[in-house]
């Protein structure tokens, strides 16, 4: 399998296995990390601040708080808006576990909403049905990189006095009616896990226009201490206060250096993802084997994932056929409300989200990442189009 990605093919090789996603790290990224290693600050310092400012500017948000993962950013978001015991937060069932778990960390109750069959985005009509007097917030997930129906969700949230949170771990760089993801919800959360749009190794960021939530998150990521080490040093203070315990969710400057360097390449990465997505869309236009999810023309998609529905109950066979050919297909995701923890602790059950339960049997994520060559895409297309039961 040829790879036209010179950047990191020497550093690491998957051999003949084509993964569903993979970071692109080049010499600039490596130099940026090395520069921090030679500097006085290894953990949260000037590079974290620079990364925060650059990301806030890119996504059209006033404040940004970098943390150790997307999951930590979701937890900061839930804590900032005051989720606690007795509170319900509506989340889509087709998402990564962390979206729902972040509500549990705060003692709240995730309430699972169904998804739209063509896009797997949260279904606003089901959100509306699942609102109760205890509902405090909605977490919209931009599944696969496509922004949700923010106009509709905003209207529902306003009418019921709810906070709208965006889990944009798939959609950094995407936009909806020309507005960037990061400016569409009350709080937006990003992940910099290597398989996401940009890599920091591990890392996440929360963006918001709400100064109090941003301030809370800065405290929450650092044990709940109101004055951090750098501030104390700058102001000649030794005294610190902890109004409530927080966590160690800090991002290091080492990770921030990689994330910041990668952010400069976001447009280039997105362009490559869009090219692969267009190649697939054209190839599967009349396919009897798979049907791609729909991408709306009101959205600029970030294409974190390329998800297709396998026709006529063929998913398991297609999955194994592609894996046997060295193609790293995956399933995103098994509905979260069917996880044993949620069944046991929150009484969720099959039937709660019928659309998600049905589509989850057919979907398959096929490889898409910036370092993928046209030949790689063609290998995937040929393997799928030649598949027969
Ligand atoms: C990756 C992901 C997360 C968690 O991000 P981490 O950085 O891995 O903690 C949360 N939600 C969604 C939808 C994700 O894809």
């Amino acid at each position: 399998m040829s790879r036209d990605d010179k950047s990191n093919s020497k550093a690491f090789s998957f051999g003949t296995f084509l993964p569903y996603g993979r970071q692109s790290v080049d010499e600039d990224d490596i130099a940026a990390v090395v520069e921090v290693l030679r500097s006085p600050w290894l953990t949260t310092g000037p590079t974290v601040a620079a990364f925060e400012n650059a990301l806030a500017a890119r996504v059209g948000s006033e404040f940004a708080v970098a943390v150790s993962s997307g999951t930590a950013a979701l937890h900061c978001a839930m804590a900032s808006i005051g989720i606690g015991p007795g509170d319900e937060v509506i989340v889509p069932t087709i998402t990564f576990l962390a979206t729902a778990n972040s509500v549990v960390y705060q003692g709240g109750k995730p309430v699972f909403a169904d998804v739209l069959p063509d896009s797997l985005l949260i279904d606003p009509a089901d959100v509306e049905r699942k609102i109760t007097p205890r509902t405090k917030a909605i977490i919209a997930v931009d599944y696969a990189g496509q922004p949700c129906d923010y106009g509709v969700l905003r209207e529902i949230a306003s009418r019921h006095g709810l906070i709208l949170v965006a889990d944009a771990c798939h959609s950094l760089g995407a936009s909806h009616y020309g507005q960037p993801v990061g400016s569409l919800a009350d709080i937006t959360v990003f992940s910099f896990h290597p398989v996401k749009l940009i890599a920091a190794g591990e890392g996440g960021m929360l963006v918001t226009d709400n100064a109090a939530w941003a301030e809370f998150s800065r405290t929450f990521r650092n044990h709940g201490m109101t004055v951090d080490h750098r501030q104390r040093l700058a102001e000649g203070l030794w005294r610190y206060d902890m109004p409530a315990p927080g966590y160690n969710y800090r991002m290091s400057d080492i990770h921030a250096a990689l994330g910041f360097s990668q952010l400069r390449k976001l447009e280039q990465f997105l362009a490559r993802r869009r090219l692969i997505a267009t190649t697939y869309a054209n190839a599967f236009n009349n396919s009897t084997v798979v049907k791609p999810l729909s991408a709306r023309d009101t959205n600029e998609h970030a294409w974190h994932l390329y998800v297709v529905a396998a026709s006529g109950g063929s998913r398991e066979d297609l999955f194994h056929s592609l894996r046997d050919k060295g193609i790293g297909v995956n399933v995103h995701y098994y509905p979260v409300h069917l996880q044993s923890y949620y069944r046991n602790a929150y009484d969720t059950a099959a039937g709660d989200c019928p659309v998600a339960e049905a589509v989850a049997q057919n979907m398959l994520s096929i490889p898409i990442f910036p370092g993928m060559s046209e030949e790689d895409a063609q290998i995937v297309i040929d393997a799928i189009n030649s598949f027969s039961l």
Side-chain angles (χ1 to χ4, degrees):
M1 214 166 285
S2 79
R3 216 48 59 75
D4 67 359
D5 165 27
K6 288 186 285 298
S7 56
N8 53 359
S9 53
K10 284 213 184 64
F12 190 72
S13 171
F14 282 92
T16 55
F17 186 75
L18 180 69
Y20 83 89
R22 174 188 169 186
Q23 74 278 8
S24 294
V25 172
D26 66 14
E27 291 303 324
D28 290 349
D29 298 318
I30 294 166
V33 173
V34 169
E35 195 182 320
V36 166
L37 289 172
R38 297 189 200 283
S39 81
W41 285 102
L42 292 189
T43 190
T44 317
T47 312
V48 164
F51 184 28
E52 289 173 337
N53 292 337
L55 192 120
R58 172 62 181 82
V59 304
S61 189
E62 197 155 348
F63 306 103
V65 182
V67 288
S68 51
S69 69
T71 305
L74 279 164
H75 189 187
C76 285
M78 292 300 102
S80 300
I81 65 173
I83 297 304
D87 294 336
E88 295 179 0
V89 177
I90 300 179
V91 303
T93 191
I94 299 294
T95 185
F96 183 57
L97 303 168
T99 315
N101 292 352
S102 70
V103 181
V104 174
Y105 298 157
Q106 283 299 108
K109 177 186 177 186
V111 172
F112 296 95
D114 213 338
V115 295
L116 299 166
D118 63 325
S119 61
L120 307 189
L121 296 175
I122 194 166
D123 176 1
D126 201 46
V127 168
E128 187 111 43
R129 279 192 288 275
K130 285 178 173 158
I131 292 172
T132 75
R134 294 171 190 272
T135 309
K136 291 282 153 52
I138 303 165
I139 309 182
V141 176
D142 295 338
Y143 180 79
Q146 169 154 247
C148 295
D149 291 319
Y150 282 100
V152 181
L153 293 170
R154 166 65 69 201
E155 188 279 319
I156 294 171
S158 304
R159 192 151 35 79
H160 294 273
L162 310 178
I163 294 162
L164 182 58
V165 178
D167 178 340
C169 290
H170 295 187
S171 60
L172 177 63
S175 60
H176 181 62
Y177 289 98
Q179 299 296 311
V181 164
S183 69
L184 297 159
D186 297 314
I187 302 189
T188 301
V189 164
F190 299 104
S191 165
F192 313 122
H193 179 279
V195 91
K196 304 293 167 71
L197 286 308
I198 62 170
E202 292 282 357
M205 207 163 323
L206 170 160
V207 301
T208 182
D209 287 344
N210 184 308
W213 294 341
E215 196 49 45
F216 178 93
S217 296
R218 282 182 201 287
T219 302
F220 195 70
R221 77 173 170 189
N222 192 33
H223 307 283
M225 291 161 68
T226 51
V227 182
D228 76 11
H229 179 66
R230 284 179 81 221
Q231 257 174 294
R232 290 205 305 279
L233 198 67
E235 292 163 24
L237 298 172
W238 62 267
R239 176 88 173 82
Y240 52 86
D241 186 42
M242 187 193 80
Y247 290 77
N248 179 352
Y249 280 163
R250 293 186 305 261
M251 176 183 279
S252 77
D253 264 26
I254 304 169
H255 292 86
L258 179 54
F260 189 17
S261 178
Q262 291 253 303
L263 182 59
R264 297 193 187 97
K265 289 167 241 193
L266 176 62
E267 309 315 318
Q268 189 187 314
F269 290 162
L270 291 169
R272 286 290 307 168
R273 288 179 180 276
R274 285 176 184 139
L275 190 75
I276 305 282
T278 305
T279 306
Y280 281 153
N282 293 335
F284 301 136
N285 202 14
N286 296 309
S287 173
T288 53
V289 182
V290 296
K291 186 175 177 336
L293 289 186
S294 70
R296 301 172 192 170
D297 54 17
T298 51
N299 282 333
E300 272 249 69
H301 205 305
W303 297 109
H304 162 56
L305 300 174
Y306 197 92
V307 179
V308 297
S311 56
S314 65
R315 202 264 306 274
E316 292 310 303
D317 291 316
L318 181 58
F319 178 92
H320 292 294
S321 158
L322 296 173
R323 276 284 176 98
D324 288 348
K325 290 179 174 159
I327 298 171
V329 285
N330 240 300
V331 175
H332 297 96
Y333 298 93
Y334 186 70
V336 182
H337 75 280
L338 299 179
Q339 296 290 344
S340 55
Y341 172 76
Y342 286 108
R343 288 179 190 256
N344 295 333
Y346 292 86
D347 263 344
T348 57
D352 290 354
C353 299
V355 174
E357 290 163 26
V359 294
Q361 321 242 338
N362 302 325
M363 61 209 202
L364 203 59
S365 302
I366 64 175
I368 188 166
F369 55 95
M372 222 175 125
S373 67
E374 321 281 300
E375 298 91 85
D376 290 335
Q378 200 54 52
I379 287 166
V380 177
I381 290 165
D382 292 344
I384 289 177
N385 283 343
S386 65
F387 173 80
S388 56
L389 270 177

